[in-house]
Amino acid sequence: MKAWLLDYYPPNNTIEFSDSEESDQVYEALGSDKPIIQEWSAPNVEFNDLGKPADILNRYTGALVISGKVKELLEQNHIEHIEFLPLSTATEEEYYILHVLSVIDCIDPVNSKVRTYYDDVPQFDEYSLVLDQKALQGQHIFRIKLPSEDRELSYIYVSDFLQEILSQSIVGYQLVEIWDSEFSWKAKEEKHERMGQEIDSSLLEVFDFDKAKKFARKNKGHMVYSGEWAIKADKDKQIWLGNLQLDGSYSWINPIYYPPILLELQWGIPERSKTMFSRLKESIGFK
């Protein structure tokens, strides 16, 4: 059994509230795990057309903005503990707030990963949780309650069943695996670290980040590596940043800024791409 985090993808089309006061009222109402459709009055929202279609267009407390297509999929598959709150837009398409009513107390506080952020307050890492499998039986879309607290994580989660349906049918969204009952976050981190070490051991020449960018721009299509990270340049010489995934692929973004940690790393090119990826496949158990 797995749990997946479902979210919108900001580079794609989005929807925003037109009125800030109305936005505050909606945010407050969506924090409830009780139906609010009877008191609902469709707020005016603005459709931000970025030329990249999306079926998940924003996230609020306990809710997602969805297209009519997502609504139909959820209705066709008889997904429970949700309600659809209509929105008023200037477009011909119909959009809704998907309000998720199921809040599950399912975090294992002992074995889940905790991080300390800038305010020095320990918080659960949403991507490194250990969950109670029994509590999630039959739950296809839900929110997660924080242990010993009267509040929830700010994301929406879905089951394997719903993940498969959505990933085959919609566009413009994020679905991130955050828990696997058979593969703990600790095992994933160890595997990820081992993969990064294999890449670093295959590098011939190493240099700093500035030289790595220059190499990527000069050699379009070639990647420069540092552990779990990689960079490459597109046809316009824009630098893309890749993060190594557990299947050996990379998740790419065109960053607004470079995290300071990247500037301190040693970067390089492998002795031979084939050799490096052969090692990588061995380290992650590919046949």
Side-chain angles (χ1 to χ4, degrees):
M1 176 185 286
K2 296 180 181 180
W4 303 78
L5 184 155
L6 177 63
D7 203 0
Y8 78 115
Y9 187 53
N12 286 49
N13 297 346
T14 58
I15 278 178
E16 303 284 350
F17 287 107
S18 303
D19 182 86
S20 59
E21 184 175 340
E22 194 170 43
S23 170
D24 292 340
Q25 293 172 353
V26 171
Y27 265 93
E28 184 176 354
L30 291 174
S32 170
D33 59 359
K34 307 297 182 188
I36 59 175
I37 188 65
Q38 296 301 324
E39 301 84 30
W40 184 257
S41 178
N44 293 314
V45 292
E46 296 177 356
F47 180 78
N48 301 320
D49 190 351
L50 303 177
K52 298 179 180 179
D55 288 306
I56 308 289
L57 299 102
N58 215 322
R59 169 171 50 87
Y60 307 118
T61 303
L64 293 167
V65 177
I66 62 171
S67 67
K69 183 176 183 179
V70 177
K71 177 177 182 288
E72 290 179 9
L73 283 170
L74 296 175
E75 289 175 332
Q76 289 169 2
N77 288 279
H78 309 290
I79 302 301
E80 300 178 331
H81 311 301
I82 57 177
E83 61 179 352
F84 304 103
L85 310 173
L87 296 172
S88 177
T89 73
T91 71
E92 296 181 358
E93 302 294 329
E94 293 183 347
Y95 295 98
Y96 302 84
I97 291 180
L98 169 64
H99 185 206
V100 178
L101 307 176
S102 182
V103 180
I104 312 298
D105 186 356
C106 60
I107 293 179
D108 177 345
V110 175
N111 294 307
S112 294
K113 187 173 184 177
V114 175
R115 292 185 184 274
T116 300
Y117 294 93
Y118 66 92
D119 54 5
D120 294 327
V121 177
Q123 299 179 30
F124 287 103
D125 183 337
E126 296 94 337
Y127 298 95
S128 304
L129 298 174
V130 176
L131 304 180
D132 181 350
Q133 187 168 343
K134 290 182 179 179
L136 296 181
Q137 292 290 341
Q139 298 287 340
H140 293 302
I141 187 164
F142 53 94
R143 295 146 67 186
I144 294 179
K145 181 183 182 296
L146 287 165
S148 306
E149 295 187 44
D150 190 24
R151 63 189 183 95
E152 301 84 40
L153 294 175
S154 59
Y155 295 97
I156 304 300
Y157 302 88
V158 300
S159 66
D160 288 328
F161 170 74
L162 194 50
Q163 177 269 338
E164 185 174 357
I165 290 171
L166 294 175
S167 61
Q168 293 178 357
S169 308
I170 67 172
V171 297
Y173 64 95
Q174 297 184 75
L175 262 171
V176 183
E177 179 191 312
I178 59 98
W179 172 70
D180 184 337
S181 60
E182 298 181 359
F183 192 23
S184 73
W185 65 267
K186 291 181 181 179
K188 290 178 183 178
E189 285 195 350
E190 290 171 358
K191 181 176 177 179
H192 205 220
E193 183 178 357
R194 188 167 64 250
M195 292 166 67
Q197 291 171 348
E198 287 290 337
I199 290 175
D200 281 342
S201 68
S202 74
L203 301 180
L204 277 181
E205 181 184 0
V206 294
F207 32 76
D208 62 22
F209 188 64
D210 284 339
K211 287 186 178 179
K213 290 190 296 181
K214 289 178 182 177
F215 179 91
R217 290 188 172 114
K218 186 177 180 180
N219 298 273
K220 187 180 67 175
H222 290 269
M223 293 162 57
V224 189
Y225 303 89
S226 182
E228 66 185 76
W229 300 101
I231 61 173
K232 65 180 181 179
D234 61 21
K235 60 182 178 62
D236 299 317
K237 296 188 176 182
Q238 293 289 317
I239 294 294
W240 286 75
L241 176 64
N243 185 241
L244 180 64
Q245 305 299 293
L246 289 175
D247 63 359
S249 66
Y250 283 83
S251 174
W252 294 96
I253 61 169
N254 183 209
I256 299 174
Y257 76 100
Y258 300 114
I261 189 174
L262 299 183
L263 310 182
E264 301 170 3
L265 297 177
Q266 290 290 307
W267 296 77
I269 52 177
E271 46 190 324
R272 288 197 307 272
S273 295
K274 182 176 180 180
T275 301
M276 186 194 74
F277 284 107
S278 295
R279 289 181 180 179
L280 189 56
K281 287 182 179 181
E282 291 176 3
S283 74
I284 60 180
F286 283 176
K287 301 295 184 182

